[in-house]
Amino acid sequence: MSAQTINIFLERLPEYEGTFYHKDIKGIETAPLGIVIGNRDNQNIAKNLGITLDKNISLSNAEKIARVRAEKDFEELSKSLGNNFKQLKPEFQAVVLDAKYNAGIFPKLAQNLNNFQTSPTPDNRTAVIKESRRVVGGKPVRGLDNRAFKVLFDSGIVSSLDDVKPILTLANTTDRMPTAKQARGDTLE
């Protein structure tokens, strides 16, 4: 298991999922860090940790559950996706882990990330963006398009909202700006 991947994922989770109880876009009761309260696996993790998973859970206890859940998801992805997942650098593994945690397994996402990692062409990046889109009831949702953009930006796959806009058409967040180096197109030598 890659502790680095787990840590990258967990560092980003408070922003992506929030740090308080809420009902998600489907009306599902969700604890801090996006932990679905009614999910049997989450309840079992909480029970094994001696934690009560309900709407009053503390952020500290939610973090413990999220870590165990992320570790389990990482192991599941390693088994189900094999080398397409294992060969990714940690930042890209965190993209796949986030998709699994948030919406399920996206087999083509890991494969497309591998292609992009090996050959970072515009076509390979477009394939990653397409596979990153999450929908509800078969339809895109602004919040999920924004999340996909943030995950891709934070992992270094895209550098601006313009990169994803043709595909993640509802993305409109303005809280990710390219660094000065990215804006100038500088490269490290």
Side-chain angles (χ1 to χ4, degrees):
M1 174 179 355
S2 170
Q4 186 178 3
T5 298
I6 301 289
N7 288 336
I8 290 168
F9 169 73
L10 292 173
E11 285 170 10
R12 297 173 179 173
L13 199 56
E15 179 188 356
Y16 297 165
E17 290 284 0
T19 57
F20 53 89
Y21 165 84
H22 62 280
K23 290 188 179 182
D24 72 7
I25 58 176
K26 288 181 163 182
I28 298 170
E29 287 193 296
T30 307
L33 307 179
I35 299 168
V36 175
I37 294 172
N39 179 285
R40 185 177 312 147
D41 291 335
N42 292 341
Q43 286 292 342
N44 286 337
I45 292 168
K47 182 178 179 182
N48 289 337
L49 293 171
I51 297 169
T52 300
L53 175 54
D54 62 17
K55 67 181 187 178
N56 298 313
I57 189 170
S58 69
L59 179 58
S60 174
N61 282 337
E63 289 170 345
K64 293 172 187 171
I65 295 169
R67 176 167 293 281
V68 173
R69 170 76 189 278
E71 291 168 353
K72 288 177 178 246
D73 286 352
F74 186 95
E75 291 302 319
E76 182 181 343
L77 290 166
S78 294
K79 289 177 186 171
S80 66
L81 301 178
N83 285 338
N84 274 334
F85 180 71
K86 293 176 189 176
Q87 293 176 350
L88 292 171
K89 62 183 182 177
E91 292 83 359
F92 289 5
Q93 285 180 333
V95 172
V96 180
L97 184 58
D98 182 78
K100 165 75 172 96
Y101 186 91
N102 183 238
I105 295 178
F106 292 58
K108 290 182 182 177
L109 178 57
Q111 180 181 359
N112 289 339
L113 279 163
N114 256 307
N115 294 341
F116 180 75
Q117 180 173 273
T118 304
S119 178
T121 66
D123 286 346
N124 286 339
R125 181 175 64 187
T126 296
V128 169
I129 296 166
K130 284 180 180 177
E131 286 302 315
S132 297
R133 189 168 223 190
R134 304 158 197 188
V135 296
V136 175
K139 296 182 180 182
V141 177
R142 182 175 318 281
L144 294 177
D145 274 7
N146 282 332
R147 181 186 182 130
F149 164 65
K150 290 176 185 181
V151 171
L152 295 171
F153 183 94
D154 292 348
S155 296
I157 297 163
V158 301
S159 59
S160 76
L161 192 56
D162 293 337
D163 293 341
V164 302
K165 203 61 171 151
I167 298 162
L168 303 177
T169 56
L170 300 178
N172 69 347
T173 187
T174 57
D175 66 353
R176 295 292 189 282
M177 301 301 287
T179 64
K181 185 182 348 179
Q182 289 169 324
R184 288 191 311 265
D186 292 352
T187 57
L188 297 174
E189 300 192 27

